[in-house]
Amino acid sequence: MTYAETGLVGTIEDLAAQRIEALSQAQLDGIDQFHAGGAEAVERLLPLLELGPTTTVLDVGSGLGGPARQVARATGSRVVGVDITPSYVDTAAALTRAAGLADRVEFRCTDVSDLDRSDFDAAYTIHVQMNVADKHGFFTGIADRLRPGARLAVFEVCRTGDEDPGLPLPWSLDGTDSFLTTPGDLVDAIESSGFETVEWVDESDWIAKWFQELGTRMAAADTTATLPALLEDGPTRMINFAVAVSAGVLSVQRGAFTRR
């Protein structure tokens, strides 16, 4: 199982040598954004979602909750995050309480298809569908939770051809839970699930540069509490991801869609 880490709050506090309430935003950005591009990737998605203080947005595959908290801070919207990994949901909730955002951001340990709501104003996924074999079913489940006309934004990893990236990767230790698809096939899956494309942009060049500058950013954050340190074989997984993007084996795509 790839997402098997437990006791993450304690691990973060041990690595940082301080309570999570005392962590700076720069320190948190290096921990709770479980995707390439970090907080800037979320910034690039925000205009696509058309959010405001009266909207409620669904974060599918919410992980440690960094994007959900960032969205709430930036837009004033309410955010509901769903994830199927209990320890990640627990950690996301603890970090949210520490940030004073529990009144606007909540997390549920559930599959999106089991969420009993269909009135969300927007939704987003960030590095999620690589673990999903049935992409049509996955995005149909999201569409069913949105009101007509709602926006979906995605920031997702795709394969560019037949070559496989080196393992392990951030989303898969041994490849058995990795289901990479091409950008074209991913768009087809999303559109066939009830969405119309608004925008589709290849962000691979920017992500390759982001990886090149990662070491400098981690040093500037001045903490040993970093995402790679929290994950099993974390540094190797990040390096393999960076190499695959730089070599053109993987691409990272940003997209916006409207629910029909």
Side-chain angles (χ1 to χ4, degrees):
M1 180 179 176
T2 298
Y3 305 105
E5 295 83 10
T6 58
L8 288 170
V9 170
T11 301
I12 292 169
E13 292 182 333
D14 288 345
L15 288 169
Q18 56 186 322
R19 299 292 300 272
I20 55 174
E21 291 84 358
L23 293 174
S24 69
Q25 193 56 55
Q27 290 173 318
L28 285 170
D29 285 345
I31 298 169
D32 63 9
Q33 301 272 359
F34 198 167
H35 56 270
E40 187 177 344
V42 180
E43 290 176 3
R44 294 185 179 212
L45 290 183
L46 281 173
L48 310 178
L49 291 168
E50 301 180 339
L51 299 175
T54 63
T55 57
T56 303
V57 58
L58 176 62
D59 179 335
V60 184
S62 49
L64 303 182
R69 288 184 291 275
Q70 184 176 347
V71 168
R73 289 194 305 268
T75 68
S77 61
R78 296 184 62 83
V79 186
V80 177
V82 296
D83 201 289
I84 61 172
T85 304
S87 63
Y88 283 24
V89 173
D90 291 345
T91 303
L95 290 170
T96 300
R97 289 192 297 272
L101 289 170
D103 60 329
R104 282 190 285 153
V105 184
E106 65 175 289
F107 299 94
R108 304 182 189 181
C109 188
T110 183
D111 190 282
V112 65
S113 62
D114 294 326
L115 189 62
D116 187 21
R117 285 189 64 171
S118 59
D119 61 342
F120 286 98
D121 300 297
Y124 59 89
T125 72
I126 304 177
H127 290 20
V128 177
Q129 55 77 38
M130 306 95 69
N131 288 118
V132 178
D134 180 9
K135 300 187 192 302
H136 173 77
F138 174 68
F139 285 104
T140 297
I142 296 174
D144 289 345
R145 270 79 209 161
L146 301 178
R147 61 169 179 77
R151 283 291 184 98
L152 167 69
V154 304
F155 193 72
E156 292 291 342
V157 181
C158 296
R159 67 186 313 139
T160 59
D162 295 330
E163 184 178 353
D164 292 323
L167 295 169
L169 291 160
W171 62 91
S172 182
L173 292 171
D174 61 8
T176 58
D177 51 355
S178 180
F179 304 98
L180 291 163
T181 190
T182 65
D185 285 345
L186 180 56
V187 169
D188 289 345
I190 296 173
E191 290 182 337
S192 70
S193 303
F195 293 96
E196 294 180 359
T197 301
V198 175
E199 183 175 75
W200 188 249
V201 178
D202 190 333
E203 294 279 22
S204 303
D205 289 344
W206 168 60
I207 289 299
K209 182 179 179 182
W210 182 87
F211 272 123
Q212 292 169 4
E213 299 170 348
L214 181 58
T216 301
R217 288 193 303 275
M218 290 173 64
D222 192 28
T223 180
T224 56
T226 63
L227 181 62
L230 297 181
L231 306 176
E232 179 183 347
D233 209 3
T236 301
R237 292 159 74 176
M238 297 292 284
I239 290 170
N240 286 343
F241 188 8
V243 168
V245 173
S246 296
V249 175
L250 295 178
S251 69
V252 180
Q253 308 289 326
R254 172 172 58 84
F257 304 84
T258 302
R259 186 198 184 281
R260 289 194 289 269

